[in-house]
Amino acid sequence: MQLDEIDKKLLQFLQEDAKQTSKELSHRLGLSVTAVYERVRKLENSGVISRYVALLNKQKISKDFMVLCHVKLTQHKKEYIQQFEREVMDLQEVTECFHVSGDYDYILKICVRDMEDYRHFMLSKLTSLQHIASTHSSFMIAEVKNTLTILV
């Protein structure tokens, strides 16, 4: 799909606050409400906008202890990779999982209450997954930048 400058601005505004009404967006873009509505529908139907979510304040829900856990599998067999990926999808503490190149095979972003909660997660959940050779954990000291905005 080819995006024009208005589509790009619209996407920027929606990434800032997806709860803006078509009327609010129409004022910001200088378009009619109908034109904005149709553009949003086009972006949704084409898959450019894949979903809308509510972002939670991790501190308010006591899940602000963030860990980046590097995971190395025992072997790079297709079935090991697929099994690990299926099993990690069921771990609620894991908010993001990336299959990466380098010394480790995966990087997991894990949000828990505190160190004790992370230890419990490691002992009862992560280490129970099959085919993990090793892990390496890094703990967040401070959040410097956290954005979901992608410039188009």
Side-chain angles (χ1 to χ4, degrees):
M1 176 177 176
Q2 195 73 353
L3 301 175
D4 64 18
E5 289 307 310
I6 294 173
D7 288 331
K8 292 176 182 180
K9 283 182 185 176
L10 176 58
L11 290 169
Q12 177 86 26
F13 295 152
L14 288 171
Q15 287 181 99
E16 291 169 6
D17 180 6
K19 286 193 74 169
Q20 294 176 79
T21 64
S22 292
K23 185 176 180 180
E24 291 168 326
L25 291 166
S26 73
H27 288 323
R28 292 182 78 181
L29 293 167
L31 297 173
S32 70
V33 173
T34 303
V36 169
Y37 177 81
E38 289 173 359
R39 281 180 180 265
V40 170
R41 294 295 282 169
K42 179 181 73 170
L43 293 166
E44 291 170 345
N45 291 335
S46 67
V48 172
I49 297 174
S50 60
R51 63 188 169 133
Y52 297 93
V53 299
L55 301 177
L56 306 181
N57 180 323
K58 292 179 202 74
Q59 289 178 316
K60 300 265 186 198
I61 60 168
S62 299
K63 298 288 183 181
D64 57 332
F65 189 78
M66 188 176 51
V67 182
L68 295 176
C69 182
H70 297 71
V71 176
K72 186 181 290 189
L73 299 182
T74 55
Q75 293 182 36
H76 295 119
K77 289 181 161 184
K78 180 180 178 180
E79 56 269 17
Y80 287 13
I81 290 169
Q82 290 174 333
Q83 181 177 3
F84 176 80
E85 289 177 2
R86 273 193 314 273
E87 291 175 344
V88 82
M89 294 295 287
D90 293 330
L91 301 176
Q92 292 180 331
E93 295 86 350
V94 176
T95 59
E96 297 179 56
C97 175
F98 303 97
H99 192 178
V100 297
S101 63
D103 293 335
Y104 290 90
D105 300 311
Y106 291 91
I107 298 176
L108 309 179
K109 180 179 170 186
I110 301 162
C111 292
V112 290
R113 186 177 61 248
D114 53 23
M115 181 63 83
E116 184 179 326
D117 204 19
Y118 182 63
R119 183 177 193 281
H120 180 263
F121 167 78
M122 285 293 292
L123 294 175
S124 66
K125 295 182 180 181
L126 190 61
T127 58
S128 68
L129 300 184
Q130 295 183 33
H131 314 302
I132 293 179
S134 65
T135 63
H136 175 85
S137 299
S138 300
F139 306 99
M140 179 183 73
I141 295 170
E143 188 171 272
V144 176
K145 180 177 181 180
N146 182 355
T147 182
L148 299 176
T149 303
I150 300 170
L151 294 179
V152 287

